[in-house]
């Protein structure tokens, strides 16, 4: 439909340029500077990079992080994640939080080429950096609630999904999307197609996530397995009942046993919590909407909103209830309007 192949985009997303663009973005909106610090800390593989983070105004170092960007199938599991290396804690006299940012991106091919990323890998890098920012920019001094610690499930994906929005901001993307050999910017038609594909089948995907979330909640809140022997609903009856409301266009077949493999809610830590995926989308889209409201080309206003996001969402940690944190940033509770607009549904 969009006549756009990931391989066509790779030459425009060289990892060094993407990192420079991402670091430039956070300097612009959050007032922090990221500097390479290779050699200052021991690393577990030559591919791993080490960075220090400084506050622009005070010039003081406030955090550090490791970046392990490339796939190594022989000794590294798949996926992408952020983890805590050192957490901030007055009790433990730890002033400088340190994060691990791990991705499984495409390694360089040959000695004369940088890592050329797919657009999905760019989004993943921004996503994990968002998690890292919440850990690194915390002002909470009690270890159990500093950074990502103690943040309720509802809001743990807010900073990460928020950062993904900037991958569709033209000024941000064109700050790094240049051909690695010629320096030519990403063609306009390619950028437009990237934005168009974001909303493709968005309504169906929203219904699917709502279905999963409500099915999870119904099974963990209302389903009574002891009633099955007396003619009550089975888990598959519950599945069909919930599906009839949210995905009537793709009802499960009688032989469907998807629930037997729904590991997220039975063994992956999301029991009665799968809804948080969609709720985090609502919060992150609404947070990005604050920047849209003041105008993404209004530099002074964008910086003001960015500092407020840093001082609330990225700063307060798990010691303040997420809804209160969001209201301190946005001035109100979240609404789905921005998400629906971003998905082309209103």
């Amino acid at each position: 439909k969009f006549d756009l192949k990931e391989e066509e985009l790779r030459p425009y997303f060289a990892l060094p340029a993407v990192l420079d663009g991402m670091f430039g973005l956070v300097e612009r909106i959050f007032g922090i500077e990221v500097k390479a610090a290779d050699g200052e800390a021991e690393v577990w593989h030559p591919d791993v990079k080490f960075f220090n983070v400084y506050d622009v105004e005070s010039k003081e170092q406030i955090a550090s992080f490791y970046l392990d960007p490339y796939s190594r199938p022989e000794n590294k599991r798949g996926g992408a994640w952020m983890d805590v290396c050192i957490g901030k804690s007055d009790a433990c006299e730890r002033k400088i939080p340190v994060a691990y940012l791990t991705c499984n991106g495409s390694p360089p091919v040959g000695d004369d080429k940088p890592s050329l990323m797919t657009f999905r890998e760019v989004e993943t890098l921004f996503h994990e950096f968002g998690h890292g920012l919440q850990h690194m920019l915390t002002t909470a001094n009690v270890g159990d609630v500093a950074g990502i610690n103690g943040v309720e499930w509802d809001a743990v994906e807010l900073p990460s999904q928020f950062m993904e929005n900037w991958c569709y901001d033209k000024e941000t993307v064109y700050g790094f999307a240049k051909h690695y050999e010629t320096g030519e910017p990403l063609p306009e038609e390619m950028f437009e197609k990237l934005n168009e594909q974001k909303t493709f089948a968005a309504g169906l995907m929203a219904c699917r996530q709502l279905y999963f979330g409500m099915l999870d909640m119904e099974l963990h809140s209302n389903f009574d397995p002891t009633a099955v022997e007396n003619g009550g609903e089975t888990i598959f009856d519950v599945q069909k009942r919930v599906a009839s409301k949210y995905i009537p266009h793709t009802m499960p077949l009688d032989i469907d046993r998807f629930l037997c493999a729904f590991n997220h809610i039975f063994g992956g830590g999301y029991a009665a919590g799968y809804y948080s995926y969609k709720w985090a989308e609502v919060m992150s889209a609404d947070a990005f909407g604050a920047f849209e409201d003041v105008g993404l080309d209004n530099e002074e206003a964008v910086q003001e909103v960015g500092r407020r996001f840093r001082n609330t969402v990225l700063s307060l940690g798990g010691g303040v209830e997420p809804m209160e944190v969001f209201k301190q940033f946005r001035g109100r509770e979240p609404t789905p309007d921005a998400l629906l607009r971003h998905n082309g549904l209103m």
Side-chain angles (χ1 to χ4, degrees):
K1 176 179 174 61
F2 301 108
D3 192 26
L4 186 65
K5 296 179 176 64
E6 284 194 331
E7 294 304 312
E8 295 175 336
L9 294 169
R10 281 187 189 271
Y12 297 96
F13 296 128
L15 176 61
V18 173
L19 286 175
D20 287 345
M22 185 172 70
F23 296 158
L25 169 67
V26 297
E27 180 172 358
R28 170 192 169 209
I29 62 177
F30 298 142
I32 61 173
E33 184 177 8
V34 180
K35 294 182 179 180
D38 293 328
E40 288 190 14
E42 185 179 1
V43 296
W44 54 94
H45 191 277
D47 290 342
V48 177
K49 306 298 182 184
F50 188 70
F51 298 87
N52 289 328
V53 181
Y54 299 85
D55 180 79
V56 168
E57 291 186 3
S58 69
K59 308 300 182 184
E60 293 182 358
Q61 183 185 352
I62 55 176
S64 298
F65 66 94
Y66 295 89
L67 174 64
D68 189 352
Y70 307 135
S71 171
R72 295 189 297 277
E74 72 280 6
N75 57 20
K76 180 181 177 184
R77 68 179 172 91
W81 61 94
M82 171 265 159
D83 208 347
V84 174
C85 177
I86 298 174
K88 194 170 187 177
S89 169
D90 277 355
C92 296
E93 298 183 349
R94 294 172 176 171
K95 305 295 184 184
I96 304 294
V98 183
Y100 297 116
L101 303 183
T102 306
C103 298
N104 267 278
S106 305
V109 178
D111 297 329
D112 59 342
K113 285 186 179 181
S115 167
L116 301 179
M117 308 172 74
T118 67
F119 185 68
R120 296 296 167 227
E121 290 171 347
V122 174
E123 286 185 300
T124 298
L125 179 62
F126 272 68
H127 180 103
E128 298 307 329
F129 195 49
H131 283 306
L133 288 171
Q134 188 172 32
H135 171 65
M136 294 186 287
L137 300 187
T138 186
T139 56
N141 295 313
V142 178
D144 286 345
V145 294
I148 63 172
N149 292 334
V151 176
E152 295 178 22
W153 213 252
D154 304 54
V156 74
E157 293 292 333
L158 167 56
S160 54
Q161 293 188 6
F162 164 81
M163 285 297 293
E164 288 185 45
N165 286 284
W166 295 98
C167 295
Y168 295 90
D169 172 55
K170 190 171 186 178
E171 180 181 345
T172 300
V173 172
Y174 276 87
F176 59 77
K178 297 178 176 62
H179 196 284
Y180 79 101
E181 289 181 318
T182 67
E184 289 294 313
L186 180 73
E188 289 272 351
E189 59 269 23
M190 284 189 173
F191 180 72
E192 293 303 322
K193 288 177 180 178
L194 281 174
N195 279 279
E196 290 171 3
Q197 60 84 29
K198 182 184 178 184
T199 62
F200 178 71
L204 293 174
M205 286 300 298
C207 289
R208 179 176 180 269
Q209 287 298 90
L210 291 171
Y211 160 57
F212 288 160
M214 290 305 298
L215 177 58
D216 168 41
M217 195 64 71
E218 186 72 14
L219 289 173
H220 284 98
S221 300
N222 300 319
F223 175 64
D224 180 7
T226 64
V228 175
E229 296 179 358
N230 299 319
E233 285 186 311
T234 68
I235 60 171
F236 304 111
D237 293 330
V238 175
Q239 178 187 10
K240 287 186 175 181
R241 174 165 55 81
V242 176
S244 68
K245 180 176 181 180
Y246 291 98
I247 55 166
H249 46 280
T250 52
M251 286 292 292
L253 301 175
D254 290 338
I255 60 172
D256 184 284
R257 292 298 181 265
F258 158 74
L259 280 174
C260 297
F262 197 2
N263 292 330
H264 272 77
I265 69 170
F266 294 123
Y270 278 85
Y274 195 92
Y275 74 91
S276 62
Y277 277 111
K278 183 54 68 176
W279 182 241
E281 287 184 43
V282 171
M283 297 181 75
S284 62
D286 201 358
F288 188 72
F291 291 82
E292 294 176 314
D293 288 348
V294 300
L296 292 172
D297 57 350
N298 186 337
E299 191 63 24
E300 184 177 348
V302 164
Q303 290 183 9
E304 180 182 345
V305 175
R307 300 307 193 273
R308 190 164 72 245
F309 188 86
R310 172 184 170 179
N311 294 332
T312 52
V313 176
L314 299 179
S315 172
L316 297 177
V320 181
E321 198 271 328
M323 185 62 76
E324 177 60 29
V325 173
F326 191 90
K327 288 194 291 186
Q328 286 188 33
F329 166 64
R330 201 68 167 96
R332 56 165 174 75
E333 294 187 358
T335 72
D337 295 353
L339 178 61
L340 293 173
R341 185 175 70 254
H342 293 169
N343 286 345
L345 299 176
M346 67 175 292

